[in-house]
Amino acid sequence: MKGPLVLTAFVVCLLGTTAALDRLVIKGSKFFNSRTGEQFYFKGIAYQPQDEDNSTRDPLADTEACHRDIKVFKDLGLNSIRVYDVNYENNHEECMRALEEAGIYLFLDIPNSTNAINRADPTWDLDLFNHYKNKIDAFAEHSNIAAFLIGNEVTNSISTTPSSAYVKAATRDIKAYIRSLGKEIPVGYADNDDPAVAKNLVPFFVCGDDPLAQIDFYAINTYRWCGKEATFQTSGYSILTEKFRNFSMPVLLSEYGCNIVRPRTFSEVRSIFGPDMQDVFSGGFMYEYSQETNDYGIVKIPGSGDSVTRYIDFDDFRREIRNASPKGVNFEHYNPAKSVQRCPAVSEEWQTSSKALPPTPNEQACQCMFNSLECALSSDYSDSEGKILGDFLGYVCGENPDACAEVSGFTKTGQYGIYSGCSAQQRSSYIINANYLAQNRNRNACKIDGVSAKIKPRSSAAVQRKCENFASTSAMKPHDFTDTKGHVGRNSNSISSKDFGALAKYKNSDNDMDSMSDSQSGTAESIRAMFLLTTIISACLAWYSL
């Protein structure tokens, strides 16, 4: 019996680990392969093909195209791709498995074009939190998920600096959620390489006492290096590198590849992966794979068939990236110096206090509040009513700011209402109800032309106090995810017609972590064989989980 069991164990071990890529881990300012200890550099490309009408396509759900393009990725010598937009409801298993077998990691944006923090009217609420968690659920189990991006160029000007508070709150809650799943997947942010903004943005995302609120790595979309005549010094890459030389966490280029001068020769690759930058940057992602309307692609995706058309840029990039051979350090021999970043002060250039962040959206507290309202939006409320409702809410908040305080956020002072993390429908209803009560429950005050609102049975003051106490207590426990099916979170925001016009509903994820357990039984003569079997399988599982 011993022989077959041991053989089976080795086969299980082999089959269970050959497809899985080694997990990437962070130590100090560098990425490492968790098994070999070798420093890891992203030799990647942005991968987001669009349909003929320029609409967004989920590239990881198109299995035929995925297999076709993976062959090209391997020919290029890539070890990673960045994907911006996927639908978590689609099936990505086959493509993720194919990428894994090809040795390619995924660098995935959590927001997408329709579900992201709005830089002009920012909020971090239940709708967004649930959407983000559903995307985490769809990809967290794959060994080749290298990292998540919590935001891409959200704050891109002085006037949009308040949005950073909401991105940092999202970072805190998403990192807590990932940890609740038993995972350690890095979460970072990508900026637009604007020095005027970055001087405050960079320290803001890494400062503070809560490690969950700090990003794990910093990414930069930069197009400084233009043309074959550019150099490390003339392009400004030298300035960028010096800026991050003593940075406390990894930094990489989430986009690069200026196309002002054509054809592109990609001479910057030699600096990114060579002596100029290899000690500071962890590689990067060239923008981009497929030719779209913005004219950055190195291949043309066919309407049908199994091959792509390669542009002249393709061969230049292939030559440079395949020759890239950065010299890193070993995990065990690397002893990073700890550095502390001071949080930026509120100023005309930085309109966000570091003293407090928007609270975690709490589904139970928000539902309690909504159920207690006497005048509220109907469940069949539609997006078409958003503009009407937005104007109405703006008027109410202007006339009676107190009616909106508990569902609003003020980044300069760091003050956020206890219900500021509720969904747009719930926050809107809270304001409508406050206006209804302020008008002595006049039935006409619950009638808004063109908007579906209705009067509900009156709730007691005790119920209101219970909900407020629930919300206040929950806001003090931002990282409690004991129930991973129920979506807990943090949030807040200022009121605007844009915000209340988008009342999308998202399906909550009910996926639990898969758990593994071994059961053993047998007679006296099989005990030794079972011990060997258990030892081998345990070793396999330990290696696999790295």
Side-chain angles (χ1 to χ4, degrees):
M1 181 177 181
K2 170 181 167 184
L5 281 174
V6 175
L7 178 60
T8 300
F10 276 113
V11 171
V12 170
C13 183
L14 180 63
L15 292 177
T17 57
T18 50
L21 284 180
D22 301 325
R23 283 288 187 183
L24 301 181
V25 296
I26 290 175
K27 182 179 182 181
S29 62
K30 305 181 188 303
F31 282 88
F32 292 91
N33 181 300
S34 61
R35 182 179 62 86
T36 67
E38 294 179 352
Q39 186 176 343
F40 184 88
Y41 294 86
F42 291 95
K43 297 170 68 174
I45 199 168
Y47 181 54
Q48 194 69 55
Q50 296 180 331
D51 290 324
E52 292 183 359
D53 62 355
N54 294 325
S55 61
T56 301
R57 179 193 304 182
D58 183 343
L60 303 182
D62 186 341
T63 56
E64 181 180 352
C66 187
H67 283 290
R68 175 199 65 207
D69 295 332
I70 287 175
K71 294 178 182 178
V72 184
F73 298 157
K74 292 177 67 176
D75 181 41
L76 285 167
L78 304 179
N79 64 13
S80 51
I81 59 172
R82 178 187 176 184
V83 177
Y84 300 79
D85 201 343
V86 297
N87 183 345
Y88 62 77
E89 293 184 334
N90 290 338
N91 188 330
H92 305 101
E93 294 301 312
E94 184 173 342
C95 187
M96 287 299 292
R97 185 167 55 251
L99 286 167
E100 192 173 58
E101 292 171 351
I104 296 174
Y105 289 91
L106 174 63
F107 200 83
L108 182 64
D109 288 58
I110 301 176
N112 62 20
S113 55
T114 56
N115 299 282
I117 293 172
N118 185 330
R119 65 172 65 93
D121 294 291
T123 185
W124 172 235
D125 62 14
L126 280 172
D127 291 336
L128 270 182
F129 194 21
N130 286 338
H131 180 86
Y132 284 16
K133 284 186 287 187
N134 285 331
K135 184 171 287 187
I136 298 296
D137 290 342
F139 289 91
E141 292 300 321
H142 294 282
S143 67
N144 60 330
I145 181 72
F148 291 112
L149 277 175
I150 198 69
N152 181 70
E153 301 185 7
V154 183
T155 298
N156 63 357
S157 64
I158 300 299
S159 63
T160 59
T161 54
S163 64
S164 298
Y166 299 93
V167 175
K168 191 166 183 176
T171 301
R172 172 201 60 210
D173 296 333
I174 287 302
K175 286 179 63 175
Y177 182 68
I178 291 173
R179 183 169 295 184
S180 77
L181 299 176
K183 303 293 182 182
E184 291 290 341
I185 304 172
V187 176
Y189 176 81
D191 85 2
N192 66 329
D193 193 20
D194 182 343
V197 175
K199 68 179 182 180
N200 289 311
L201 188 68
V202 174
F204 177 74
F205 277 131
V206 298
C207 75
D209 297 327
D210 185 358
L212 286 177
Q214 301 169 4
I215 57 172
D216 297 314
F217 63 91
Y218 201 81
I220 305 166
N221 300 334
T222 184
Y223 295 86
R224 300 183 180 206
W225 194 302
C226 299
K228 63 181 181 180
E229 301 301 325
T231 67
F232 180 59
Q233 282 74 29
T234 62
S235 66
Y237 268 47
S238 58
I239 298 174
L240 195 63
T241 302
E242 282 306 309
K243 175 182 176 181
F244 288 98
R245 185 166 296 281
N246 297 314
F247 199 48
S248 59
M249 57 189 57
V251 59
L252 54 90
L253 300 183
S254 41
E255 291 178 10
Y256 70 89
C258 174
N259 69 348
I260 294 177
V261 181
R262 303 298 295 266
R264 294 183 290 176
T265 59
F266 299 105
S267 54
E268 65 265 46
V269 170
R270 301 175 193 178
S271 283
I272 297 171
F273 298 96
D276 288 336
M277 301 171 67
Q278 64 186 7
D279 292 337
V280 178
F281 280 77
S282 295
F285 297 82
M286 191 276 286
Y287 189 86
E288 65 179 321
Y289 178 67
S290 58
Q291 179 72 330
E292 310 296 341
T293 55
N294 55 11
D295 197 31
Y296 277 90
I298 59 173
V299 304
K300 181 179 180 181
I301 298 290
S304 61
D306 59 358
S307 62
V308 299
T309 301
R310 302 182 179 191
Y311 294 130
I312 187 172
D313 291 7
F314 181 97
D315 291 329
D316 291 328
F317 179 65
R318 181 180 182 276
R319 180 186 63 253
E320 294 294 342
I321 201 69
R322 289 188 73 90
N323 287 335
S325 183
K327 309 299 181 187
V329 297
N330 185 273
F331 183 92
E332 295 296 333
H333 300 148
Y334 173 55
N335 298 304
K338 293 184 178 179
S339 61
V340 178
Q341 291 277 353
R342 180 176 296 179
C343 293
V346 175
S347 65
E348 291 185 3
E349 294 182 340
W350 186 254
Q351 302 167 25
T352 298
S353 171
S354 299
K355 296 180 180 179
L357 293 174
T360 302
N362 185 293
E363 193 143 22
Q364 290 81 6
C366 291
Q367 192 60 50
C368 180
M369 175 272 286
F370 184 75
N371 291 341
S372 72
L373 302 180
E374 298 177 31
C375 174
L377 293 173
S378 303
S379 58
D380 59 352
Y381 177 84
S382 65
D383 288 356
S384 61
E385 302 170 65
K387 180 63 169 64
I388 299 172
L389 181 58
D391 292 341
F392 173 79
L393 296 177
Y395 171 78
V396 172
C397 291
E399 293 294 314
N400 182 15
D402 290 341
C404 304
E406 291 299 348
V407 293
S408 302
F410 305 94
T411 61
K412 282 187 176 181
T413 60
Q415 295 176 305
Y416 303 95
I418 59 175
Y419 297 126
S420 57
C422 297
S423 70
Q425 182 182 18
Q426 291 165 337
R427 299 199 312 276
S428 300
S429 295
Y430 184 93
I431 298 171
I432 293 172
N433 185 72
N435 182 62
Y436 171 72
L437 297 179
Q439 298 191 40
N440 299 315
R441 295 185 171 86
N442 185 329
R443 298 185 67 86
N444 290 328
C446 195
K447 295 179 180 179
I448 307 170
D449 292 339
V451 176
S452 302
K454 62 180 180 181
I455 296 176
K456 301 190 300 180
R458 182 181 301 186
S459 61
S460 66
V463 172
Q464 287 282 4
R465 287 194 298 272
K466 177 182 177 181
C467 294
E468 291 172 2
N469 182 63
F470 188 11
S472 298
T473 304
S474 299
M476 295 173 66
K477 299 178 180 179
H479 311 317
D480 182 8
F481 287 96
T482 52
D483 176 11
T484 59
K485 289 185 179 180
H487 291 309
V488 188
R490 288 184 160 184
N491 166 5
S492 80
N493 178 24
S494 304
I495 305 301
S496 73
S497 59
K498 293 180 182 179
D499 180 25
F500 293 107
L503 298 178
K505 298 179 177 67
Y506 301 109
K507 173 185 176 184
N508 289 340
S509 171
D510 290 326
N511 295 332
D512 286 325
M513 278 185 60
D514 291 334
S515 60
M516 291 181 287
S517 64
D518 296 320
S519 61
Q520 301 181 21
S521 63
T523 59
E525 62 265 23
S526 66
I527 292 178
R528 178 173 173 79
M530 291 305 299
F531 175 77
L532 289 172
L533 171 64
T534 304
T535 301
I536 294 170
I537 291 179
S538 297
C540 289
L541 292 177
W543 183 91
Y544 182 78
S545 63
L546 288 176

